[in-house]
Amino acid sequence: MDLCKPVTDAARYDAIILGAGAAGMMCAAVAGQRGRRVLLIDRADEPGKKILISGGGRCNFTNLHAAPDRYISANPHFMKSALRRYTQEDFIALVDRYGIAWHEKTLGQLFCDGSARQIVAMLDEECRAGGVEIALGRDVSAVEHGDGRYRVTVGARTVEAPALVIATGGPSIPKMGATGYAYDLARRFGLKVIEPRPALVPLTLGGDEALFKSLSGVSAEVIAKCGKTAFREAALFTHKGMSGPAILQISSYWRHGQQIGVDFLPSQDSGWLVEAKRARPRAAFRTVIGAALPDRLADTLVERLGLHGEMGNLTDRALEQAERRLADWRFSPNGTEGFAKAEVTIGGIDTDGLSSKTMEAKRVPGLYAIGEAVDVTGWLGGYNFQWAWASGSAAGQAI
Ligand code: FDA
């Protein structure tokens, strides 16, 4: 793929898009195919690097259940318009048009059968179809605004356009070159930024709970809860604390100082331990608990509950207490594994300053922000790419 086309001599464009990631490529393709002259700039030497590593290399490119209630933002209504106008079905139709084979893994999550590279190649082809110029491996050294035009210095050249799109993503995974550049630029234009935090990130345990680290590698299906939010998926103990889809999901809702609750036996009905005592009074408590849990986890939980011996020798009250604890085991994480391990960033450019229809800054005509840079964060499972496609398309239709 010859992705690095030279920037041509003409310095004037209809739109300059900073960031050739998921959102920037979609935006460029849509605008280009509407006849706009678009320059797409990225400091990396190839576009869509996060797409390439996503979904374990198979890119979980959307989710069948994408809907506004699966996104977190200070304004829970902001994403509605864009998600409605560019849906998961629209992206699936595009993928189908390119003959890219895909499958549903679980919970509506759609992955390529082959490689994430197919998605990047598809977006690149869409950009080509729109005549988009792509400038890769070049740092933006200056952005200026005056006379209704944006002037961007990239490498040795200055280019200009009446529209500038911020699509440089969030600071998660800095070793891939991710930075807070979008926020700095947005602030320079007077936009507010909601405190960025790592999200979809493993939680760390310390103190008394550090004991659970000895379960590193053990996983179980649980319900993880934080406040009113709950996710039923796998949790995984790690040498630092907890991870796995259920924990990554709940991490986006967790704040320092809060507890999370874990239901280790989500399939059991209320009163099951007392019923088990009636049915099998000679069975060991450890045996009953262990029937539905991995061995090492059952050992640790039984140790912590301090209940031993035969079921028939334990009081109903003790069993009811144990059941309540197993259904809402409290952990007090002491932190997260940070931006280095976060799949996305929660927070970002405040949606209050943006049009939900076009992603244009309300008070800075011609300035747009899309994708992860904006304060819209999806659940795990293809929701973040769907936001990138939808917000990119919304801006691409407007510039
Ligand atoms: P994105 O990060 O994709 O692109 C930003 C671009 O801007 C990059 O190309 C970067 O090089 C460029 N840039 C940054 N600073 C710049 C500057 N100063 N000048 C010029 N260019 C600059 N989501 C999902 O829905 N399904 C999944 O399977 C996964 N899997 C996944 C795995 C891993 C390991 C991570 C880290 C993340 C995911 N995600 C995901 C999240 C998903 O990758 C993310 O939400 C989107 O890539 C966001 O798209 P954007 O285009 O906004 O940013």
Side-chain angles (χ1 to χ4, degrees):
M1 278 194 297
D2 171 24
L3 290 164
C4 188
K5 286 193 260 176
V7 178
T8 61
D9 283 341
R12 286 176 174 240
Y13 294 86
D14 294 321
I16 298 168
I17 301 172
L18 300 181
M25 289 182 92
M26 175 58 90
C27 180
V30 170
Q33 290 179 27
R34 287 175 52 241
R36 297 291 183 269
R37 189 151 183 243
V38 177
L39 176 64
L40 179 59
I41 299 172
D42 203 295
R43 70 209 294 236
D45 52 9
E46 63 179 323
K49 275 195 163 176
K50 273 196 186 164
I51 301 176
L52 293 176
I53 60 157
S54 68
R58 289 217 160 89
C59 187
N60 178 192
F61 55 78
T62 192
N63 194 295
L64 293 175
H65 311 304
D69 63 354
R70 280 142 195 242
Y71 291 85
I72 305 164
S73 169
N75 176 358
H77 305 292
F78 181 81
M79 69 296 290
K80 287 182 179 171
S81 169
L83 288 175
R84 195 173 51 237
R85 285 177 299 128
Y86 191 90
T87 66
Q88 51 272 47
E89 284 78 24
D90 291 325
F91 196 76
I92 294 167
L94 180 62
V95 167
D96 285 345
R97 197 141 43 81
Y98 278 78
I100 299 172
W102 53 268
H103 61 279
E104 180 184 350
K105 197 168 168 194
T106 177
L107 301 171
Q109 301 168 4
L110 305 190
F111 286 75
C112 298
D113 289 355
S115 157
R117 203 160 275 285
Q118 295 172 285
I119 299 292
V120 177
M122 174 187 83
L123 292 169
D124 182 53
E125 192 49 45
E126 285 291 291
C127 284
R128 276 170 199 268
V132 174
E133 286 186 42
I134 306 182
L136 296 172
R138 292 164 208 212
D139 261 319
V140 172
S141 51
V143 175
E144 282 146 35
H145 182 218
D147 308 326
R149 302 191 75 80
Y150 294 85
R151 281 178 204 86
V152 175
T153 308
V154 52
R157 300 191 60 223
T158 297
V159 288
E160 63 173 56
L164 178 71
V165 183
I166 304 175
T168 52
S172 39
I173 319 283
K175 76 167 187 245
M176 288 188 66
T179 64
Y181 181 79
Y183 311 145
D184 298 340
L185 196 54
R187 282 195 191 100
R188 274 190 41 211
F189 284 101
L191 294 176
K192 290 201 182 114
V193 172
I194 298 203
E195 184 207 351
R197 292 182 287 124
L200 300 181
V201 63
L203 298 173
T204 55
L205 297 175
D208 208 19
E209 292 166 339
L211 272 180
F212 280 89
K213 295 180 194 172
S214 65
L215 295 177
S216 180
V218 171
S219 80
E221 190 186 326
V222 304
I223 296 177
K225 299 171 260 189
C226 187
K228 290 187 178 144
T229 310
F231 292 95
R232 182 173 178 157
E233 277 186 75
L236 168 75
F237 288 96
T238 71
H239 64 289
K240 289 189 176 164
M242 297 174 88
S243 185
I247 300 300
L248 296 179
Q249 296 278 33
I250 214 68
S251 74
S252 299
Y253 292 84
W254 177 81
R255 294 266 188 172
H256 272 275
Q258 278 186 313
Q259 289 189 322
I260 62 161
V262 174
D263 182 349
F264 281 113
L265 292 160
S267 297
Q268 300 291 3
D269 292 330
S270 169
W272 73 279
L273 267 180
V274 171
E275 265 175 42
K277 169 180 158 175
R278 306 271 184 268
R280 299 164 63 200
R282 306 292 300 275
F285 178 70
R286 164 69 182 77
T287 308
V288 172
I289 296 293
L293 286 172
D295 273 350
R296 280 162 67 201
L297 177 57
D299 287 342
T300 303
L301 294 175
V302 168
E303 194 57 41
R304 293 245 143 176
L305 288 168
L307 291 184
H308 301 281
E310 292 180 1
M311 294 292 284
N313 294 333
L314 300 171
T315 64
D316 286 5
R317 192 154 169 269
L319 290 172
E320 280 156 9
Q321 271 175 356
E323 185 185 316
R324 274 199 297 279
R325 199 140 173 239
L326 287 165
D328 193 15
W329 199 282
R330 292 292 165 138
F331 289 92
S332 301
N334 60 7
T336 74
E337 289 195 36
F339 283 118
K341 290 284 159 64
E343 207 162 280
V344 284
T345 307
I346 212 160
I349 299 172
D350 191 349
T351 60
D352 245 13
L354 302 175
S355 153
S356 61
K357 219 169 159 202
T358 62
M359 307 292 138
E360 187 177 16
K362 289 174 186 162
R363 292 198 188 83
V364 194
L367 182 70
Y368 296 76
I370 55 176
E372 193 178 328
V374 177
D375 172 36
V376 174
T377 308
W379 286 2
L380 183 78
Y383 296 97
N384 284 296
F385 278 138
Q386 187 56 38
W387 168 245
W389 317 136
S391 58
S393 168
Q397 294 289 347
I399 54 183

